[in-house]
Amino acid sequence: MNRPLQSTSSEPWPPEGVDVFRSARRTRTVQARHAGERIEVRIPARFSEREEREAVAEILAKLKRRSTSNAVSDDDLLARAEKLNAQVLDGKARIGSVRWASNHNTQWGSCTVSTGDIRISDRLRDVPDWVVDAVVVHELVHTFIPGHGPRFWEWADKVPRAERAKGFLEAYQRFGPS
Ligand SMILES: [Zn+2]
């Protein structure tokens, strides 16, 4: 059965490379993330077809703007970690590897102290750069200070906008993507 569309456009929906999911849990927020080569967009289940098109177009535009500045590859992430180590931590961190990882359910990042291998949750791929920086610096500090004592925070809080990043992550944990 043909569904009547307001648009006269013959372009496919959803757009090429995009998957749209309707979520009953979502009330008004729209969220998009990279999933390999594709982009997954989540919208509230109650959205009309028109609202869906508008919301998806809007978030894809936003994602495009962000990806020009975000560290999208592992190489970018490593380069960023090295830069932050030099600029914020006086080069004290011992970096083995830095990579995005998808197996972090509750953590934003992890660090294996013995090897200096750092993993950053790919749930953070689409958050602002300064938030990722705070998570990277947090894990970098763990390469030379275990635990979260006062000395740890003395270093970790040197990252620009440290407090704002903590607030952002708290809210993102509650209302952001799951
Ligand atoms: Zn920690």
Side-chain angles (χ1 to χ4, degrees):
M1 203 201 320
N2 282 328
R3 277 193 296 176
L5 288 180
Q6 306 232 315
S7 165
T8 54
S9 158
S10 59
E11 284 181 13
W13 189 261
E16 198 61 51
V18 177
D19 300 311
V20 178
F21 298 96
R22 287 174 172 264
S23 160
R25 217 161 44 87
R26 227 161 250 286
T27 54
R28 30 177 275 278
T29 56
V30 176
Q31 183 233 327
R33 68 187 287 265
H34 293 280
E37 298 288 285
R38 304 185 64 78
I39 293 173
E40 293 178 355
V41 180
R42 289 185 164 68
I43 63 171
R46 60 162 184 79
F47 266 19
S48 70
E49 192 162 2
R50 193 176 140 209
E51 283 174 313
E52 172 182 329
R53 283 177 181 256
E54 284 172 1
V56 170
E58 192 181 315
I59 200 147
L60 289 179
K62 211 195 247 176
L63 203 62
K64 206 169 169 187
R65 282 197 303 275
R66 275 189 202 151
S67 66
T68 56
S69 67
N70 251 23
V72 287
S73 72
D74 288 340
D75 287 345
D76 289 334
L77 199 58
L78 175 63
R80 215 146 115 203
E82 280 167 348
K83 193 170 154 198
L84 287 163
N85 187 27
Q87 289 178 346
V88 181
L89 303 176
D90 298 341
K92 286 178 81 74
R94 214 171 34 82
I95 302 173
S97 64
V98 187
R99 284 195 208 116
W100 295 105
S102 54
N103 55 347
H104 293 94
N105 294 322
T106 54
Q107 285 179 299
W108 299 120
S110 67
C111 167
T112 307
V113 178
S114 57
T115 54
D117 290 331
I118 289 168
R119 298 293 174 267
I120 303 297
S121 169
D122 66 4
R123 289 167 63 202
L124 296 178
R125 268 189 197 257
D126 300 316
V127 304
D129 283 355
W130 51 272
V131 178
V132 176
D133 285 353
V135 175
V136 169
V137 165
H138 183 115
E139 299 307 330
L140 287 174
V141 175
H142 276 316
T143 68
F144 60 97
I145 304 177
H148 299 111
R151 247 190 90 232
F152 173 87
W153 289 113
E154 226 171 83
W155 283 103
D157 285 346
K158 283 184 200 282
V159 72
R161 301 200 247 183
E163 287 309 314
R164 267 191 76 193
K166 282 178 213 167
F168 183 102
L169 289 171
E170 230 168 81
Y172 201 60
Q173 183 84 280
R174 255 180 294 164
F175 307 115
S178 48

